[in-house]
Amino acid sequence: MHSFLQSSNDLLRQRGYRLTPQRHMILRVIQEADEHLSIDQIMERVQQLNPYVSLSTVYRTLELLKSVGLVRESHLPGEQPLYETAEGHAHHHLICRRCKATFHLDEELLGNLNEQLQKQYHFHGLSLELMAAGYCNECWHKIQQEQTQE
């Protein structure tokens, strides 16, 4: 078993859960993706592996995996949530509002903001997730061209 899946199995067992075949499959689909996945994309990939896994199983499994910290959900207002494996403490995204391209930003980008927030506001076990939205260069040029044509 891959080390991420093994450590996921260990964490689930510590919390009183088992890594069932369905949970393993869903976690593997998310982990092997080279992009952030929507529920529909996860469901499609899981169905290719096992057509008997229901949508409600996928939803329940994602809720469990989020609650134990194995999966992260990213959500832009008005958009479907996207899922990825949760690795590391700080996690930052830059997302294009038009084409939805998603870039992971360097964890060091915000320096020690995490520690500063913990110290100043007395928060513990803090995780920091920044999501910045704008337009990638290609989409920005397309927008500019569309505006000049009007």
Side-chain angles (χ1 to χ4, degrees), residues 7-44:
S7 63
S8 300
N9 186 35
D10 295 344
L11 179 62
L12 285 168
R13 285 185 185 278
Q14 289 172 1
R15 304 277 174 93
Y17 300 102
R18 292 184 316 111
L19 186 59
T20 63
Q22 294 87 350
R23 290 174 185 161
H24 180 272
M25 193 181 321
I26 292 165
L27 197 52
R28 193 179 95 210
V29 161
I30 295 169
Q31 191 224 355
E32 290 177 355
D34 54 358
E35 60 184 329
H36 298 76
L37 299 176
S38 68
I39 294 267
D40 295 336
Q41 291 170 314
I42 294 168
M43 187 65 190
E44 178 183 320

Side-chain angles (χ1 to χ4, degrees), residues 84-131:
E84 65 182 323
T85 56
E87 299 175 66
H89 296 293
H91 197 75
H92 314 302
H93 292 106
L94 183 59
I95 300 175
C96 179
R97 293 178 194 260
R98 184 175 175 147
C99 71
K100 309 303 182 219
T102 303
F103 302 93
H104 285 109
L105 300 177
D106 185 352
E107 285 187 23
E108 302 301 316
L109 183 67
L110 298 178
N112 67 346
L113 180 60
N114 201 356
E115 291 82 19
Q116 290 177 17
L117 292 172
Q118 288 181 40
K119 183 178 178 181
Q120 185 172 345
Y121 295 100
H122 308 287
F123 268 68
H124 305 279
L126 188 67
S127 64
L128 186 59
E129 298 176 22
L130 170 69
M131 186 175 306

